[in-house]
């Protein structure tokens, strides 16, 4: 009787093992990726999350209902006009909380934890701001939001301005928050403003965004941008020199090719391309040629690979596989070398994303795919954080040595 029941039970167990993936032997590469990803320092150099952090930390404003007194009408003040940038038009209305897991967007505290994200550069960014003084004011508002989210959740996230602070914060189990200014137009042609941003904690500045500044030419992000300075103007070179002096990383994402080479000729410290990809996989004005990658490596700098589909996928298709993003990383390793590649995802709120990299909770998939390509663990460690920290450390050293 016992034998009669044992055979069906064994058969059922075998069938269950065959049809349930979780019952089968685990993927050894996946297990290796999971272990490695949790051991290394995972740093991303570009997150466009700051407008949402502003939602979470916004103090009372004079434009709020009932806040203005009888002697002032904010609606008549050009400086109080609400500006909706093109990239923020699709943002959902209403409140948003950093500590809640959201079904939309790509980053919040729970998903940062799930993805093993240890350190993040939050971008200070806005579209072109024509009102004098308002780019500075709005940038200050975004900086305040990052400082305020750290003050609001001190057990989860803290501001980092040096390599030592990044490592100490991560070691404490918290996320290191860093700040990058995405567009030199926000200093409004005043080096004193640059110094002020640095004093508040900003640690890289992208020289241009999608349009020329008054001192540097841009690559544009779609239609070609006509150069007007032949790269960096003399004032632009002074900006780069001042960034070296105070210890701010020069970021050459978004700049015209001539601006890139002028910046390398001027700087005394390594530079980064905080969110760029490579022409070797997809040609785009935003991407870097092999010659530029070689020059970046000679400088000691790092290209952090961008994951935005329109910059990385050479094909038009319903869904872009994660393999395309990995192709850019592998090409950059091959051309620039393993010491000169990092990651700068660059997602907007509703940008289409590669399958398997829908939000920051999926960052382990990058580690997994790199291991599948045969990339050594030590190289993956460098790509995820150590290369960027090396550049930061060298920028700190140059500043401490009294660069002029």
């Amino acid at each position: 009787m016992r034998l009669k029941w044992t055979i069906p039970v064994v058969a059922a167990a075998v069938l269950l093992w065959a049809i349930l993936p979780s019952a089968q032997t685990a993927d050894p590469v996946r297990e290796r990726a999971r272990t490695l990803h949790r051991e290394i320092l995972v740093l991303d150099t570009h997150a466009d999350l700051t407008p949402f952090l502003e939602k979470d930390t916004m103090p009372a404003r004079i434009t709020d209902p009932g806040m203005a007194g009888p002697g002032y009408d904010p609606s008549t003040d050009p400086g109080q006009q609400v500006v909706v940038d093109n990239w923020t038009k699709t943002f959902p209305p209403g409140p948003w909380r950093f500590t809640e897991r959201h079904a939309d967007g790509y980053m919040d505290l729970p998903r940062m934890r799930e993805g093993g994200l240890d350190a993040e550069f939050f971008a200070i960014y806005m579209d072109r701001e024509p009102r004098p003084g308002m780019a500075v004011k709005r940038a200050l508002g975004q900086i305040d939001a990052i400082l305020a989210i750290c003050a609001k959740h001190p057990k989860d996230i803290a501001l980092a301005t040096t390599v030592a602070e990044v490592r100490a914060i991560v070691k404490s189990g918290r996320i290191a928050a860093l700040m990058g200014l995405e567009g030199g137009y926000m200093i409004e042609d005043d080096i004193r403003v640059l110094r002020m941003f640095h004093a508040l904690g900003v640690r890289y500045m992208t020289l241009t965004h999608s349009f020329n500044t008054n001192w540097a030419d841009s690559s544009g992000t779609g239609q070609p941008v006509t150069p007007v300075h032949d790269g960096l103007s003399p004032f632009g070179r002074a900006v780069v020199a001042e960034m070296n002096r105070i210890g701010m990383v020069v970021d050459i994402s978004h700049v015209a090719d001539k601006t890139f080479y002028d910046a390398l000729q001027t700087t005394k410290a390594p530079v980064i391309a905080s969110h760029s990809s490579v022409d070797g996989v997809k040609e785009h004005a935003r991407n870097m040629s092999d010659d530029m990658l070689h020059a970046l490596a000679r400088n000691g700098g790092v290209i952090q690979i961008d994951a935005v589909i329109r910059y990385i996928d050479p094909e038009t298709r319903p869904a872009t596989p994660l393999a395309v993003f990995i192709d850019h990383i592998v090409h950059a390793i091959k051309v620039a070398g393993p010491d000169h590649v990092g990651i700068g995802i660059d997602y907007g709120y509703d940008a289409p994303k590669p399958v398997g990299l829908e939000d920051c909770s999926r960052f382990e998939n990058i580690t997994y795919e790199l291991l599948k390509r045969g990339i050594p663990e030590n190289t993956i460690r460098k790509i995820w954080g150590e290369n960027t920290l090396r550049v930061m450390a060298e920028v700190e050293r140059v500043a401490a040595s009294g660069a002029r």
Side-chain angles (χ1 to χ4, degrees):
M1 202 55 142
R2 185 179 301 247
L3 182 62
K4 179 179 177 182
W5 286 100
T6 300
I7 294 174
V9 168
V10 171
V14 172
L15 179 61
L16 183 66
W17 182 90
I19 64 175
L20 291 181
S22 60
Q24 298 177 28
T25 303
D27 179 352
V29 179
R30 174 59 73 182
E31 292 300 318
R32 185 176 159 210
R34 184 170 295 115
T35 300
L36 176 63
H37 196 75
R38 299 297 165 172
E39 289 177 349
I40 64 181
L41 196 152
V42 175
L43 186 157
D44 173 62
T45 54
H46 200 88
D48 285 314
L49 190 71
T50 315
F52 289 93
L53 300 182
E54 286 188 285
K55 285 189 173 195
D56 195 355
T57 60
M58 186 68 70
R61 293 172 291 181
I62 199 168
T63 54
D64 293 340
M67 292 300 289
Y72 173 64
D73 182 0
S75 67
T76 65
D77 185 346
Q80 298 294 351
Q81 293 176 359
V82 176
V83 175
V84 180
D85 291 338
N86 288 328
W87 77 292
T88 62
K89 284 180 179 178
T90 59
F91 287 7
W96 185 91
R97 294 290 177 263
F98 177 61
T99 54
E100 296 176 4
R101 196 183 200 286
H102 301 269
D104 54 2
Y106 89 102
M107 182 176 287
D108 45 49
L109 180 61
R111 286 184 285 181
M112 293 171 89
R113 294 294 196 191
E114 291 171 25
L117 181 54
D118 296 309
E120 181 62 65
F121 271 95
F122 294 104
I124 316 300
Y125 172 73
M126 69 201 69
D127 287 349
R128 190 195 302 258
E129 173 53 84
R131 297 171 294 174
M134 290 303 295
V136 174
K137 179 181 177 181
R138 291 174 64 193
L140 288 173
Q142 293 186 36
I143 290 170
D144 176 77
I146 297 165
L147 299 178
I149 209 71
C150 293
K152 188 174 181 179
H153 304 289
K155 294 182 179 180
D156 296 306
I157 188 167
L159 181 71
T161 61
T162 66
V163 173
E165 288 175 354
V166 171
R167 295 195 187 280
I169 291 166
V170 172
K171 186 177 181 180
S172 74
R174 295 174 294 168
I175 293 168
L178 301 103
M179 294 188 284
L181 195 74
E182 189 183 11
Y185 57 93
M186 281 179 274
I187 69 170
E188 299 205 26
D189 307 328
D190 193 329
I191 284 177
R192 295 170 299 177
V193 176
L194 174 70
R195 294 171 181 165
M196 178 186 66
F197 285 148
H198 179 269
L200 289 171
V202 175
R203 285 301 178 266
Y204 78 65
M205 182 174 75
T206 319
L207 299 182
T208 70
H209 193 254
S210 58
F211 51 89
N212 300 330
T213 68
N214 291 334
W215 43 271
D217 290 329
S218 167
S219 67
T221 56
Q223 294 298 320
V225 175
T226 302
V228 294
H229 305 295
D230 190 30
L232 278 178
S233 74
F235 180 77
R237 292 177 183 271
V239 168
V240 170
E242 182 65 13
M243 293 175 73
N244 288 168
R245 188 189 73 81
I246 62 178
M248 186 182 289
V249 181
V250 175
D251 177 19
I252 52 77
S253 286
H254 286 292
V255 305
D257 290 4
K258 183 60 164 57
T259 304
F260 164 80
Y261 287 110
D262 285 354
L264 291 192
Q265 185 183 59
T266 304
T267 185
K268 291 180 169 63
V271 306
I272 63 170
S274 69
H275 54 301
S276 294
S277 297
V278 297
D279 281 338
V281 178
K282 177 179 178 174
E283 289 193 11
H284 191 283
R286 278 269 284 108
N287 292 348
M288 296 182 68
S289 68
D290 286 0
D291 285 344
M292 295 171 80
L293 291 174
H294 286 304
L296 183 71
R298 290 192 296 271
N299 163 263
V302 175
I303 175 175
Q304 286 88 2
I305 302 298
D306 188 301
V308 174
I309 286 177
R310 67 189 178 116
Y311 301 143
I312 67 170
D313 197 341
E315 301 178 24
T316 301
R317 45 185 149 189
T320 296
L322 179 54
V324 172
F325 174 69
I326 303 300
D327 288 344
H328 283 262
I329 295 176
V330 171
H331 184 87
I333 293 170
K334 178 181 177 181
V335 177
D339 294 330
H340 305 287
V341 185
I343 291 174
I345 296 296
D346 187 30
Y347 286 162
Y349 165 70
D350 59 352
K353 304 163 180 69
V355 176
L357 196 54
E358 291 81 4
D359 59 42
C360 67
S361 72
R362 312 299 298 279
F363 278 2
E364 183 189 300
N365 286 342
I366 297 173
T367 302
Y368 175 65
E369 293 297 331
L370 289 171
L371 286 173
K372 285 174 62 179
R373 297 284 186 103
I375 304 301
E377 290 188 7
N378 190 50
T379 296
I380 296 172
R381 185 184 304 273
K382 292 178 180 180
I383 291 168
W384 262 126
E386 295 304 326
N387 286 340
T388 298
L389 293 177
R390 173 185 55 77
V391 169
M392 288 180 61
E394 181 62 13
V395 169
E396 291 172 17
R397 188 199 65 77
V398 170
S401 71
R404 289 290 186 269

